[in-house]
Amino acid sequence: MTAKQKILVVDDEQDILDLISYNLTKEGYQVFTASNGKLAIEKAKGENPDLIILDVMMPVMDGIEACRIMRAMPEFKHTFMVFLTARSEEYSEIAGFHVGADDYIAKPIKPRALMSRINAILRRNSQEVAEEVSDKLEIADLVIDRDSFLVYRAEEKIVLAKKEFELLYLLASKPNKVYTREQILKAIWEDSVVVTNRTIDVHIRKLREKIGDNYVSTVKGVGYKFDLS
């Protein structure tokens, strides 16, 4: 972990803020807090955190709306955002992913599990920065070669269609991150006006036929992810 990475914790319950802040500070992070979404946006603009932990249900402005607003700002386009909530309803989780959440953590908070998750997320960010200068992405037992548009599994060469390759590379570049269908469409078929969600489903099916079923997982009602769990 890189010392003094910045984390903004947003929750309207002071005891939750104190608990998370204490544990994050012990891990060497620089911690800032806010009690609602509106204050979170102001604090984020001033501190430019590496990670933002947002409660969903808050007064003034909830976490979903705050995330949506910040994701539309260029300076927070690549900032990691994690939702923290006591709500277990599936629609709440879906809403979080649709506005750009990277992960989702349920209350009650277990400090050791929370720290493990946060460390893993920020470690993943460091790996992604390193991979940006590389033409090859090595993940699980796959080597994804961006120059040749080829995938290697062990010694086996797998030839993919261009869009299939781009889809795999997008998902694999951020393992375990859930991409909504809208995000996938924008990233891969941005210039097309005739592509539908069904197009993504077909490409996912073809991708699984070629590389195997155990790499790309469907998150019901949301989208897809490259699964390392």
Side-chain angles (χ1 to χ4, degrees):
M1 181 197 75
T2 302
K4 298 303 179 182
Q5 285 179 296
K6 295 181 179 180
I7 299 180
L8 172 60
V9 185
V10 190
D11 199 297
D12 61 324
E13 298 180 52
Q14 188 61 45
D15 58 338
I16 297 294
L17 289 179
D18 292 342
L19 175 64
I20 297 177
S21 297
Y22 172 76
N23 283 279
L24 287 173
T25 301
K26 278 206 316 180
E27 288 286 312
Y29 294 110
Q30 187 175 0
V31 183
F32 306 91
T33 63
S35 58
N36 62 63
K38 184 176 180 181
L39 292 174
I41 295 172
E42 295 174 4
K43 183 75 73 171
K45 287 179 178 178
E47 302 297 344
N48 191 28
D50 300 284
L51 170 70
I52 301 174
I53 303 173
L54 285 160
D55 187 31
V56 171
M57 298 298 294
M58 293 184 291
V60 184
M61 180 185 293
D62 64 31
I64 300 289
E65 180 64 11
C67 180
R68 186 190 65 78
I69 291 172
M70 285 189 284
R71 275 292 185 238
M73 299 178 179
E75 61 265 42
F76 302 121
K77 184 177 180 182
H78 299 295
T79 302
F80 278 91
M81 298 194 192
V82 175
F83 277 116
L84 189 68
T85 182
R87 298 174 64 180
S88 59
E89 297 93 334
E90 186 179 84
Y91 73 83
S92 180
E93 185 169 345
I94 291 173
F97 283 127
H98 272 294
V99 295
D102 293 289
D103 210 337
Y104 211 89
I105 300 173
K107 296 178 182 178
I109 296 167
K110 299 177 181 178
R112 185 175 297 179
L114 176 66
M115 293 307 106
S116 177
R117 186 82 66 88
I118 297 306
N119 289 336
I121 289 171
L122 289 172
R123 198 161 53 238
R124 187 175 80 194
N125 182 46
S126 298
Q127 291 169 350
E128 288 165 8
V129 170
E131 285 161 2
E132 285 179 0
V133 299
S134 174
D135 292 326
K136 291 184 179 179
L137 180 61
E138 298 185 22
I139 186 167
D141 59 347
L142 299 178
V143 176
I144 306 171
D145 190 329
R146 189 162 45 183
D147 278 347
S148 64
F149 276 76
L150 291 174
V151 176
Y152 298 87
R153 184 179 55 210
E155 299 299 320
E156 177 189 6
K157 180 172 70 174
I158 303 171
V159 180
L160 301 177
K162 184 173 184 293
K163 292 299 184 185
E164 294 166 4
F165 180 90
E166 291 175 351
L167 178 55
L168 175 62
Y169 196 93
L170 174 69
L171 298 176
S173 66
K174 292 187 176 181
N176 292 327
K177 172 181 171 60
V178 180
Y179 283 88
T180 66
R181 287 177 170 82
E182 289 77 13
Q183 290 171 327
I184 294 172
L185 285 172
K186 185 175 182 181
I188 298 178
W189 285 278
E190 187 171 5
D191 296 329
S192 177
V193 295
V194 296
V195 173
T196 66
N197 287 344
R198 177 60 179 160
T199 301
I200 297 175
D201 298 337
V202 170
H203 279 74
I204 290 288
R205 176 175 57 79
K206 290 180 178 178
L207 189 56
R208 285 170 173 161
E209 289 174 355
K210 294 179 179 180
I211 68 171
D213 295 332
N214 57 321
Y215 299 101
V216 178
S217 296
T218 302
V219 180
K220 186 177 179 182
V222 184
Y224 297 99
K225 68 175 181 176
F226 191 98
D227 196 350
L228 284 184
S229 60

